[in-house]
Amino acid sequence: EATFLLLQEMQAYDLEIVATFWNVPDWMVLNPENHTDRLVDWELYDELAECITTWLVMARDEYGIEIEYVSVNEPNIGADVGFMGRELTDLIEASGPLFKKNKLETRWLLADTSNAAGSSGFATAMLRNGDILDLTGPFAFHSWDWDAADETYTQIREYAWSLGRPVWC
């Protein structure tokens, strides 16, 4: 409940809210003994999409919170839960009909990777393997490699803009 109350406060400031999940229950992963790079059983992607949807609906219906974007924290390195681009596409595709059925306007951040380097490649893999562009919002990445070459950031900008997406770092 504390999370929802904090989100209510944030929403009062008219902020865009991103809900990022860092972990999932042990019964959903193939390697429950791991604390990082936990791998969701691909047969449970629909179940995970349903869990995410249920949380978003609860936020909206019980607390009046509209979550604009969702993401997996640094899926490319499995900071907690790991997904390859293709796998994340499958999860996003599974969530699409559920979001629509529940009248959620929430979209996924595109990529939300750990670093600038490789983020365009990760997003490309996501988009190559499914028709999810309409389910995504800003192209996002973290800046742990803040000293990446200028060309890396130029590539990100050009790639995101070619998709009509803003860049969030």
Side-chain angles (χ1 to χ4, degrees), residues 27 32 52 57 61 66 92 110 130 134:
W27 61 267
I52 294 165
V57 168
D61 294 352
E66 295 292 336
I92 293 171
L110 180 58
D134 289 344

Side-chain angles (χ1 to χ4, degrees), residues 41-133:
D41 183 337
W42 67 270
E43 292 180 355
L44 297 177
Y45 281 18
D46 288 342
E47 185 80 21
L48 180 54
E50 185 177 329
C51 288
I52 294 165
T53 303
T54 299
W55 190 90
L56 293 168
V57 168
M58 178 184 280
R60 182 193 64 205
D61 294 352
E62 293 184 29
Y63 293 89
I65 304 162
E66 295 292 336
I67 307 292
E68 269 117 324
Y69 302 105
V70 292
S71 74
V72 178
N73 180 58
E74 300 178 349
N76 61 314
I77 63 167
D80 290 283
V81 180
F83 288 91
M84 301 298 290
R86 160 184 63 78
E87 295 166 340
L88 191 50
T89 298
D90 292 344
L91 176 60
I92 293 171
E93 285 179 333
S95 73
L98 295 172
F99 286 13
K100 185 174 183 176
K101 176 183 172 187
N102 288 281
K103 297 177 176 59
L104 292 167
E105 299 292 324
T106 307
R107 291 183 294 152
W108 289 81
L109 292 182
L110 180 58
D112 202 19
T113 56
S114 60
N115 294 308
S119 60
S120 296
F122 189 87
T124 298
M126 289 175 68
L127 296 175
R128 183 179 300 134
N129 293 302
D131 186 23
I132 62 164
L133 190 59

